[in-house]
Amino acid sequence: MNIDNNGFYGDFGGAFIPEMLYHNVNELKENYLQIIESESFKKEFKYLLKEYVGRPTPLYFAKRLSKKYNTNVFLKREDLNHTGAHKINNTIGQILVAKQMNKKRIIAETGAGQHGVATATVCALMGLQCIVYMGEVDIKRQAPNVARMKMLGAEVRPAVSGSKTLKDATNEAIRDWIANPVDTYYLIGSVVGPHPYPDMVARFQSIISEEMKMQLQEKTGRDYPDRIIACVGGGSNAAGAFYHYLGNEKVELIAVEADGLGITSGETAATTQVGSEGIIHGSKTLLMQNNEGQITEPYSISAGLDYPGVGPLHAHLFKSGRGTFLGATDQEALDAAYELTKLEGIIPALESAHALAALRKIDFNANENVVINLSGRGDKDMETYIRMIQ
Amino acid sequence: MKRIKETFQTKNNILNIYVTAGFPKLNDTVEIVQELARNEVDMIEIGMPFSDPLADGPTIQNSSEIAIKNGITLDFIFNQIIEIRKTVSIPIILMGYYNQVLQYGAKSFFKKAKRVGVDGFIIPDLPLDIYQKKHKTILNDLELDMIFLITPQTTDERIRLLDGQSSGFLYLVSSYAITGSKSDLQQNQIDYFKRIQNLSLKNSKLIGFGISNKESFNTACNYAEGAIIGSAFIKALKDSNNLKESISNFVKGIKG
């Protein structure tokens, strides 16, 4: 389940980039493993995850939810991380890489603003310049996160091309990198983009399943669950939750995509269901496109899942059959969010609510152990929740 | 393969003009290319509009968006080239992104391109090793050229590698910038051109990115066999009320 020498998971991955990016990407490729496997890096990374992010996050046994679904449901509480989601696991890791490589200027893309906030946060922490590209449309609909990034000292630049959303913000960030190759580090937010990004981001997020193993051992007497459920947009939280179980066939890995208004509605972000093989943002993977190869615009109520591709690892899990891919519509996700709030007193992010929605779609045996990766908290989604409850 | 090679053997100060297919109007491309040829442009690069063109700047991306809205498709472009080839004999190079080629089916794409009279390709996000493994044989068989880019950051070692795999010519990206973002050539760019000159490469070279007027064109011609102009021409088309006149004025402004 690991990448080969060229950065491929089976048929997917690689680095399909113009020559203008070759030097930058190659520089990272040549250095990332050596940096992140060094003792000094590991020490600082672990230190910051513990003291600054607040790890380990609890593996919480959700008693009332378990009763309702007649099985043992555990929630991996990534929502309790500093900044409110798993995203910061990755930005802490990459900012340390950027520092090792002597980069002074950090750029990032963001959709809902979660990765932008997590990047602006670590840049403030390290005293580095931060520029976040965000689609003009997303800037309007995610105002609180824009304000947070600005307060943290980041410059938020609107992406005005194309559909003016995450895909275009990513294009703009890549262009910035082409124009500023020497001093700039591109801090990508998911397990997408050219090799080595998918592998590097998955490694940083793998702390999720690393902790899960110890916590399950302690709570259940076995270091693996029967199933792990996680939502997939680009797929970074799922990559982290699956990582240490990729080779353990006893664990069913369940990825939940955003069906939007339904996979046949034309308004969906369920890439594996409506997509096909191709290239997006420098990676060969599954993506939503027309028969001319033009990348089409996804839709989901959740801005974090509103991406027309999936990371190459997930494309491989899908094609090889190692992963189970389910979908949840906007409405199903909303219902699941309300249910978790009522039963457990936890308001989840809309993204994570898609993973929770899978509970209704699976026939559980009575004594299974199921882990749901609760990737983020719902503060940022309150406006949507309030609007939908009325 | 012949047309590009012959052009470099018989001409100096080669002017290669880029035009986005299907822009400004879907059916304008045939006339634009015919006019460029009539005004003695030496080579044509036809852009296949793509939704997510990583290596293009805002001007060309914007023209691509318009062309896609106009309804441009690869088959439509091939038909336009059939029309163009009835009167135009200068080399035609197709520029686009690898996903477009993959979705069309690479073999069919290259064969069809050959049949309609295309001479070569620029596919910026096609990795060198994948080209060698999957596409080089068919391009050689069809006598089509694959043109690779080099940039100021490309090491001498890699330049030699790209020179070895490229045919037709090498595309020298003039600066770090993406297309259409610089107005004249700086000293560090000229140092880079000189460095390339000293490598004695097998391929001819055209300089692109940031060439927008007579001055930058002439400078480029001092260090390479010619230059490629894209964004500046697209801007001229965008502002034009009379395509024929605008094209003639534009080319005269560069070469006259």
Side-chain angles (χ1 to χ4, degrees):
Chain A
M1 268 312 146
N2 270 321
I3 47 161
D4 66 20
N5 288 336
N6 297 314
F8 278 83
Y9 299 93
D11 295 337
F12 302 108
F16 295 80
I17 48 169
E19 188 62 26
M20 294 84 102
L21 281 175
Y22 181 86
H23 179 84
N24 294 359
V25 171
N26 200 51
E27 185 186 23
L28 189 60
K29 189 181 91 180
E30 297 291 320
N31 288 297
Y32 84 108
L33 281 180
Q34 195 192 333
I35 292 173
I36 70 181
E37 281 172 358
S38 74
E39 286 308 315
S40 60
F41 178 95
K42 281 186 197 164
K43 201 175 150 197
E44 199 174 2
F45 183 53
K46 286 267 152 107
Y47 171 81
L48 287 171
L49 288 183
K50 178 167 183 276
E51 302 291 334
Y52 185 72
V53 176
R55 302 201 72 95
T57 59
L59 184 72
Y60 167 70
F61 176 66
K63 202 172 162 189
R64 297 184 67 202
L65 202 61
S66 296
K67 196 173 171 204
K68 165 133 198 203
Y69 291 98
N70 195 30
T71 194
N72 301 322
V73 180
F74 295 87
L75 302 176
K76 182 59 176 161
R77 297 291 308 274
E78 292 300 299
D79 60 316
L80 294 176
N81 283 323
H82 179 42
T83 71
H86 71 291
K87 289 287 184 192
I88 197 153
N89 302 330
N90 169 47
T91 60
I92 293 271
Q94 285 199 57
I95 204 76
L96 295 176
V97 170
K99 269 184 71 178
Q100 276 295 311
M101 292 173 72
N102 274 319
K103 303 290 180 178
K104 308 288 181 218
R105 184 174 171 273
I106 307 298
I107 56 170
E109 82 298 333
T110 197
Q114 290 305 102
H115 173 59
V117 167
T119 304
T121 298
V122 296
C123 286
L125 180 68
M126 299 294 169
L128 291 169
Q129 186 191 357
C130 180
I131 294 155
V132 179
Y133 288 89
M134 188 168 184
E136 202 173 43
V137 170
D138 291 333
I139 287 179
K140 281 182 191 140
R141 60 183 181 187
Q142 307 288 338
N145 272 343
V146 175
R148 288 168 84 193
M149 285 185 269
K150 286 183 177 165
M151 184 165 171
L152 287 159
E155 181 192 339
V156 180
R157 291 193 187 162
V160 296
S161 62
S163 53
K164 305 177 177 63
T165 58
L166 176 59
K167 146 178 111 69
D168 310 284
T170 308
N171 292 335
E172 290 300 324
I174 291 172
R175 288 207 184 98
D176 180 308
W177 207 22
I178 287 174
N180 300 285
V182 180
D183 64 340
T184 298
Y185 181 87
Y186 178 25
L187 206 162
I188 210 163
S190 191
V191 286
V192 301
H195 175 63
Y197 280 108
D199 181 53
M200 180 170 64
V201 176
R203 284 168 187 262
F204 291 144
Q205 293 294 359
S206 72
I207 186 72
I208 300 171
S209 47
E210 191 182 316
E211 290 174 1
M212 231 189 258
K213 282 182 88 168
M214 285 185 288
Q215 292 165 325
L216 282 166
Q217 182 67 47
E218 197 185 306
K219 288 176 203 294
T220 69
R222 210 178 66 178
D223 73 352
Y224 62 92
D226 297 292
R227 311 184 208 232
I228 303 173
I229 307 175
C231 65
V232 170
S236 68
N237 91 78
F242 296 165
Y243 195 90
H244 289 287
Y245 299 109
L246 289 169
N248 183 349
E249 300 276 348
K250 289 182 210 134
V251 183
E252 188 185 14
L253 307 175
I254 302 171
V256 187
E257 293 182 293
D259 284 350
L261 301 181
I263 53 169
T264 56
S265 69
E267 299 290 329
T268 181
T271 303
T272 63
Q273 304 306 306
V274 301
S276 54
E277 293 182 19
I279 291 157
I280 181 170
H281 296 138
S283 181
K284 185 165 187 206
T285 187
L286 293 166
L287 64 136
M288 292 166 56
Q289 57 185 332
N290 67 18
N291 54 16
E292 286 281 310
Q294 309 289 0
I295 298 170
T296 53
E297 208 32 50
Y299 163 79
S300 165
I301 193 171
S302 144
L305 302 181
D306 206 353
Y307 183 71
V310 290
L313 167 64
H314 297 296
H316 181 56
L317 291 176
F318 178 77
K319 193 173 179 179
S320 66
R322 174 68 185 95
T324 304
F325 281 71
L326 302 176
T329 63
D330 289 0
Q331 192 56 53
E332 289 168 334
L334 286 167
D335 292 345
Y338 290 126
E339 180 177 84
L340 183 72
T341 305
K342 290 210 177 91
L343 290 179
E344 301 288 347
I346 299 169
I347 302 178
L350 267 169
E351 291 76 18
S352 323
H354 285 73
L356 291 161
L359 282 172
R360 299 180 187 200
K361 299 174 184 251
I362 300 166
D363 291 325
F364 295 105
N365 300 317
N367 280 314
E368 280 189 44
N369 295 325
V370 178
V371 176
I372 297 176
N373 198 36
L374 198 68
S375 56
R377 58 181 176 241
D379 306 26
K380 69 184 178 62
D381 298 312
M382 284 317 297
E383 205 182 301
T384 308
Y385 287 146
I386 291 163
R387 197 173 65 237
M388 295 318 235
I389 211 168
Q390 280 163 354
Chain B
M1 202 169 273
K2 266 191 182 147
R3 284 195 201 98
I4 296 178
K5 205 174 180 182
E6 273 172 22
T7 303
F8 282 102
Q9 279 168 354
T10 56
K11 291 180 179 177
N12 296 316
N13 300 344
I14 287 165
L15 175 60
N16 179 340
I17 297 265
Y18 168 94
V19 56
T20 305
F23 174 85
K25 299 265 163 34
L26 183 62
N27 290 306
D28 285 343
T29 310
V30 174
E31 188 195 342
I32 291 169
V33 175
Q34 285 170 342
E35 278 306 305
L36 286 169
R38 205 169 296 149
N39 283 278
E40 297 187 349
V41 162
D42 306 297
M43 216 179 269
I44 301 288
E45 191 182 322
I46 296 179
M48 309 186 289
F50 182 52
S51 56
D52 295 73
L54 289 184
D56 290 310
T59 306
I60 290 176
Q61 175 166 23
N62 183 256
S63 70
S64 295
E65 276 174 32
I66 291 169
I68 291 168
K69 274 187 201 133
N70 288 344
I72 197 75
T73 63
L74 293 186
D75 278 328
F76 200 94
I77 297 171
F78 287 136
N79 287 331
Q80 288 180 320
I81 296 173
I82 291 174
E83 273 306 297
I84 291 166
R85 273 283 173 245
K86 288 179 181 166
T87 55
V88 172
S89 59
I90 56 175
I92 294 176
I93 293 150
L94 275 179
M95 187 271 175
Y97 289 82
Y98 191 39
N99 196 45
Q100 299 174 281
V101 177
L102 285 181
Q103 300 316 316
Y104 196 91
K107 239 184 200 163
S108 327
F109 175 84
F110 292 126
K111 280 184 177 166
K112 180 88 195 218
K114 176 69 185 182
R115 211 154 51 231
V116 302
V118 170
D119 301 291
F121 305 92
I122 299 171
I123 305 171
D125 63 341
L126 168 60
L128 187 64
D129 60 325
I130 292 191
Y131 166 68
Q132 288 171 297
K133 254 186 276 172
K134 295 197 170 162
H135 309 304
K136 196 179 175 184
T137 311
I138 187 165
L139 262 79
N140 285 348
D141 291 350
L142 294 170
E143 296 195 316
L144 289 166
D145 290 324
M146 184 62 79
I147 293 139
F148 285 96
L149 275 60
I150 61 179
T151 80
Q153 285 200 308
T154 313
T155 60
D156 289 358
E157 189 191 350
R158 185 164 167 83
I159 290 172
R160 293 196 189 283
L161 183 68
L162 290 164
D163 183 45
Q165 296 303 318
S166 218
S167 57
F169 60 91
L170 270 177
Y171 189 137
L172 266 62
V173 177
S174 70
S175 71
Y176 296 139
I178 40 170
T179 60
S181 53
K182 290 272 162 63
S183 59
D184 54 358
L185 297 170
Q186 313 287 321
Q187 187 56 46
N188 60 350
Q189 292 171 285
I190 289 170
D191 293 344
Y192 149 68
F193 300 150
K194 284 184 182 162
R195 173 165 71 92
I196 309 288
Q197 269 186 322
N198 290 333
L199 291 175
S200 314
L201 302 175
K202 89 173 164 75
N203 278 290
S204 302
K205 300 170 293 289
L206 293 182
I207 293 173
F209 288 49
I211 311 299
S212 58
N213 53 26
K214 194 182 176 94
E215 195 193 351
S216 50
F217 178 71
N218 287 342
T219 310
C221 289
N222 289 335
Y223 301 100
E225 283 77 6
I228 302 169
I229 299 182
S231 297
F233 182 65
I234 295 297
K235 272 182 201 146
L237 291 181
K238 201 177 178 185
D239 300 336
S240 170
N241 300 318
N242 179 334
L243 285 180
K244 268 192 178 177
E245 206 177 280
S246 303
I247 292 166
S248 163
N249 288 341
F250 186 87
V251 178
K252 279 189 190 117
I254 306 291
K255 271 202 141 180

